[in-house]
Amino acid sequence: MRPRALAVLIPAHDEEELLPAALASVRAAARHPALRETRVVTVVAADACADATVQAALRAGAEVVGLDARNAGRARAAAARRALEILGPAEQVWLASTDADTTVPVDWLAFARARAAEGWDAVVGTVAVAHGTAGSAGALRLHELGYTASRPARGPWHHPHVHGANLAVSARAYLAAGGFPPVRLGEDHGLVRALALRGHRVLRTADCPVLTSGRLRARARGGFGDHLAALAARGSDGNPHIICNIATGMK
């Protein structure tokens, strides 16, 4: 099934600084030659924003849905609902989720569309962490060590990670699985588990990673920033079990 339309879902809480780069990368991905006949809509879920996140999204041409939940699951679900209102019936529509502090490669949407044409119902991708964040270099090294621990020396890596920052799913499968659960954290894991339980074809691949920020001050408590902060605090022990247990895909 080749999607006739793609929707990019981005939850954002006070992301005026990083959101413009995220949206610029999505615009570049939407211009990929493989998507000439595919409609692409971007929806930013502005969740309890007190800064200029909404204005930044509108300037970039994104649709905006507002809520006051401080809840990642509710925000992603709100963006998905708005996208399907715009695009119509779920048949031949795919939803691609990323984050406001993340940039996607130019072939990100084309990659998801190609996997849809192969018969997959969802694509669960990986993230790379941007270097250069003050005070986080050691934490990033420990993160990478744990993150890639299961990667084979040869062949594809069917990785164990789940990231809302790099996740695509057919709208039909998304709705059948109940959508993003309304939880503050782990909504991406909840959706992927539901997809698997219903027998949908889920591809775990490292072939099209996105680049996410390495900031240590988390927007969501218990999220990726806290993961890096925990590595910075605990990593001096060099304990690989600590590293691997933490680096299981909180984003």
Side-chain angles (χ1 to χ4, degrees), residues 7-15 18-27 41-47 49 53 56-57 60 62-67 71-72 74-80 82-83 95-104 108-109 164-167 180 187 215:
V8 180
L9 318 176
I10 306 178
H13 168 67
D14 289 347
E15 291 284 10
L18 297 180
L19 181 60
L23 292 172
S25 72
V26 169
R27 288 197 304 273
V41 170
T42 301
V43 182
V44 173
D47 188 1
C49 293
T53 291
E63 294 283 333
V64 177
V65 58
L67 67 161
N71 182 292
R74 293 186 185 279
R76 289 195 206 275
R82 179 60 180 144
L95 307 172
S97 173
T98 189
D99 283 341
D101 66 336
T102 297
T103 56
V104 303
W108 184 61
L109 292 172
N166 192 0
L167 176 62
F180 287 108
E187 76 291 345
R215 62 187 177 191

Side-chain angles (χ1 to χ4, degrees), residues 188-204:
D188 42 8
H189 290 264
L191 174 60
V192 172
R193 280 194 300 270
L195 290 167
L197 285 171
R198 294 187 64 89
H200 293 291
R201 295 189 67 209
V202 177
L203 173 65
R204 291 175 176 268

Side-chain angles (χ1 to χ4, degrees), residues 39 41 46 54 56 72 77-78 83 86 92 97 122 133 144 148 166 173 180 193 196 203 210 244:
R39 184 181 180 187
V41 170
V54 170
I86 295 168
Q92 297 186 327
S97 173
T133 303
E144 289 165 1
T148 60
N166 192 0
F180 287 108
R193 280 194 300 270
L203 173 65
V210 300
C244 292

Side-chain angles (χ1 to χ4, degrees), residues 47-231:
D47 188 1
C49 293
D51 66 352
T53 291
V54 170
Q55 292 86 337
L58 293 173
R59 280 196 300 269
E63 294 283 333
V64 177
V65 58
L67 67 161
D68 188 18
R70 287 303 306 270
N71 182 292
R74 293 186 185 279
R76 289 195 206 275
R81 283 193 300 273
R82 179 60 180 144
L84 292 176
E85 288 172 0
I86 295 168
L87 296 175
E91 296 294 327
Q92 297 186 327
V93 175
W94 266 55
L95 307 172
S97 173
T98 189
D99 283 341
D101 66 336
T102 297
T103 56
V104 303
V106 294
D107 62 341
W108 184 61
L109 292 172
F111 181 84
R113 185 179 185 274
R115 304 293 78 74
E118 293 171 354
W120 295 99
D121 296 312
V123 179
V124 181
T126 56
V127 302
V129 182
H131 287 253
T133 303
S136 66
L140 293 183
R141 284 193 295 271
L142 290 174
H143 162 75
E144 289 165 1
L145 175 63
Y147 193 84
T148 60
S150 66
R151 187 166 199 156
R154 295 181 182 178
W157 182 29
H158 302 294
H159 63 87
H161 309 295
V162 177
H163 304 280
N166 192 0
L167 176 62
V169 59
S170 78
R172 183 170 58 179
Y174 171 84
L175 293 173
F180 287 108
V183 294
R184 183 182 59 82
L185 191 68
E187 76 291 345
D188 42 8
H189 290 264
L191 174 60
V192 172
R193 280 194 300 270
L195 290 167
L197 285 171
R198 294 187 64 89
H200 293 291
R201 295 189 67 209
V202 177
L203 173 65
R204 291 175 176 268
T205 176
D207 287 347
C208 193
V210 300
L211 184 67
T212 197
S213 74
R215 62 187 177 191
L216 299 183
R217 299 185 65 181
R219 286 293 185 270
R221 301 311 305 171
F224 197 65
D226 282 352
H227 153 63
L228 292 178
L231 286 178

